[in-house]
């Protein structure tokens, strides 16, 4: 609603089965948590809109409509809003409201192409918007957001949203080497490169050659969000978790087992080129620090799916 006048109407939007529906806690840009109802791709979105006047006034309007919108908001060069879903239906013809009016709405079997997402420079939102048109004043609007999940555990990915594991493919071991010629050679081996958000990363670190005085080693998960296209793309990296896996000097032939439970962290699926607007990727980063505080690291991308 406009901030420059006191709207004469109150608009309340309620989804069907709000009490029994599952909710998710999502961080706002201010850092607080809000609960949003969960919807899935292909699910019908229905509910009721109730409009009330304030102070017993009578309010003339030029129609009431409800919209179901899907938008991508990016901050690569100021706020850019791209609409990829837009459905609308009229709730009421031009008339006068003098008492509470309730209007049902329904958008059947809606294709929700992408999952919802909130990052630093990109947001993908689905919401219902009610618009009351007026002749000589600003229109009165109200929005209510939902959170969309895709059940992608059986698919290989759709090429534009999250990439997921194919259960029919055999598991293959992934190896990541950290090395400096004639000084250091470390092999980090883990069981696969595709993980569900509740999965466990199981692996080992094997020291093949150690001629440096290694003091400390840590493993991190890093999320990298990219908005826009080269050469004007903006990339932001966030360390999701960092933990120490070794404190002290290793010796040649030593092996350190790794077991990292993903379920306890705030992770998102891998997204690649969502509507040509943004991507998010997750990297497994191994960092070694020697006694002179020099850092040696290697990163490898892992694919996350719901």
């Amino acid at each position: 609603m406009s901030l420059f006048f006191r709207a004469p109407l109150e608009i309340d939007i309620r989804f069907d089965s709000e009490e029994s529906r599952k909710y998710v806690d999502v961080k706002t840009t201010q850092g607080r948590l809000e609960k949003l109802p969960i919807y899935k791709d292909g699910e019908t979105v229905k509910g009721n809109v109730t409009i009330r006047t304030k102070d017993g006034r009578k309010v003339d309007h030029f129609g009431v409509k409800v919209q179901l919108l899907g938008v991508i908001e990016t901050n690569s060069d100021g706020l850019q809003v791209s609409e990829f879903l837009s459905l609308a239906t009229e709730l009421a013809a031009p008339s006068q409201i003098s008492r509470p009016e309730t209007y049902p709405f329904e958008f059947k079997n809606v294709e929700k192409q992408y999952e919802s997402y909130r990052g630093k420079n990109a947001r993908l939102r689905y919401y219902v918007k009610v618009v009351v048109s007026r002749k000589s004043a600003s229109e009165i609007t109200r929005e209510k957001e939902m959170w969309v999940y895709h059940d992608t555990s059986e698919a290989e990915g759709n090429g534009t949203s999250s990439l997921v594991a194919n259960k029919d493919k055999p598991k293959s071991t992934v190896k990541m080497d950290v090395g400096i010629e004639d000084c250091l050679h470390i092999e980090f081996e883990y069981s696969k490169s595709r993980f569900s958000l509740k999965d466990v990363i199981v692996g080992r670190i094997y020291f093949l050659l150690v001629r440096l005085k290694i003091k400390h080693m840590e493993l991190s998960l890093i999320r990298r969000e990219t908005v826009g296209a080269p050469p004007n793309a903006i990339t932001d990296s966030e360390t999701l978790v960092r933990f120490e896996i070794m404190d002290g000097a290793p010796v040649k032939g030593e092996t350190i087992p790794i077991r990292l439970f993903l379920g306890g962290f705030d992770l998102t699926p891998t997204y690649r080129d969502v509507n040509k607007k943004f991507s998010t990727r997750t990297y497994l980063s191994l960092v070694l620090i020697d006694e002179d505080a020099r850092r040696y690291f290697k990163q490898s991308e892992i694919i996350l799916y719901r």
Side-chain angles (χ1 to χ4, degrees), residues 26-293:
V26 183
K27 277 188 179 181
T28 67
T29 53
Q30 293 78 29
R32 64 181 178 85
L33 292 178
E34 64 175 328
K35 289 186 176 294
L36 297 179
I38 297 173
Y39 279 80
K40 293 186 177 182
D41 180 31
E43 186 176 356
T44 294
V45 179
K46 61 187 297 188
N48 292 284
V49 174
T50 300
I51 301 177
R52 303 177 181 87
T53 62
K54 294 181 179 179
D55 305 323
R57 299 166 62 181
K58 296 181 179 180
V59 178
D60 294 315
H61 68 81
F62 279 78
V64 180
K65 70 177 178 181
V66 60
Q67 299 170 285
L68 176 58
L69 300 171
V71 300
I72 297 174
E73 302 170 351
T74 58
N75 290 319
S76 57
D77 185 19
L79 181 62
Q80 303 289 326
V81 180
S82 174
E83 197 174 275
F84 62 87
L85 172 67
S86 180
L87 302 173
T89 185
E90 297 293 330
L91 296 180
S95 63
Q96 184 182 81
I97 296 178
S98 59
R99 57 184 177 79
E101 300 281 357
T102 298
Y103 309 98
F105 67 87
E106 181 175 16
F107 299 99
K108 290 186 177 181
N109 305 324
V110 180
E111 179 187 4
K112 306 171 191 71
Q113 189 174 359
Y114 310 110
E115 279 204 2
S116 296
Y117 174 75
R118 284 189 188 178
K120 184 172 182 180
N121 294 306
R123 294 198 304 169
L124 195 151
R125 303 174 58 221
Y126 292 88
Y127 59 96
V128 167
K129 180 179 180 180
V130 176
V131 180
V132 180
S133 300
R134 305 174 70 202
K135 182 179 181 180
S136 57
S138 300
E139 61 186 21
I140 302 172
T141 65
R142 181 68 183 268
E143 297 177 2
K144 187 162 186 173
E145 191 169 353
M146 64 190 73
W147 195 262
V148 172
Y149 280 153
H150 279 190
D151 184 9
T152 52
S153 60
E154 296 292 338
E156 178 63 25
N158 59 23
T160 53
S161 188
S162 54
L163 294 183
V164 298
N166 188 329
K167 293 184 177 180
D168 295 328
K169 286 190 174 182
K171 295 180 180 179
S172 57
T173 299
V174 179
K175 292 184 179 181
M176 180 168 65
D177 290 330
V178 179
I180 301 174
E181 188 175 0
D182 298 327
C183 293
L184 179 70
H185 187 189
I186 297 174
E187 184 178 86
F188 179 21
E189 179 182 282
Y190 49 103
S191 58
K192 54 186 179 179
S193 61
R194 299 170 181 264
F195 300 89
S196 78
L197 297 183
K198 304 297 182 182
D199 217 331
V200 182
I201 297 177
V202 178
R204 69 182 182 94
I205 295 173
Y206 184 58
F207 293 86
L208 298 170
L209 176 65
V210 183
R211 291 179 179 170
L212 291 176
K213 294 181 179 180
I214 301 298
K215 182 180 178 181
H216 177 77
M217 187 184 333
E218 61 188 30
L219 191 64
S220 302
L221 282 177
I222 298 173
R223 178 165 56 219
R224 192 163 294 154
E225 176 191 86
T226 302
V227 176
N232 300 315
I234 294 176
T235 298
D236 181 79
S237 294
E238 176 186 4
T239 299
L240 305 173
V241 58
R242 178 189 291 117
F243 69 98
E244 182 181 282
I245 56 177
M246 187 196 72
D247 186 14
V251 296
K252 180 180 178 180
E254 187 173 353
T255 299
I256 299 176
I258 300 295
R259 186 174 293 268
L260 175 60
F261 292 85
L262 301 179
F265 306 118
D266 182 22
L267 304 176
T268 57
T270 297
Y271 299 87
R272 286 188 175 170
D273 200 22
V274 178
N275 204 32
K276 302 187 183 302
K277 301 298 180 183
F278 73 94
S279 300
T280 64
R281 292 174 167 86
T282 302
Y283 293 84
L284 198 58
S285 177
L286 182 65
V287 180
L288 294 89
I289 304 170
D290 67 15
E291 289 187 345
D292 296 321

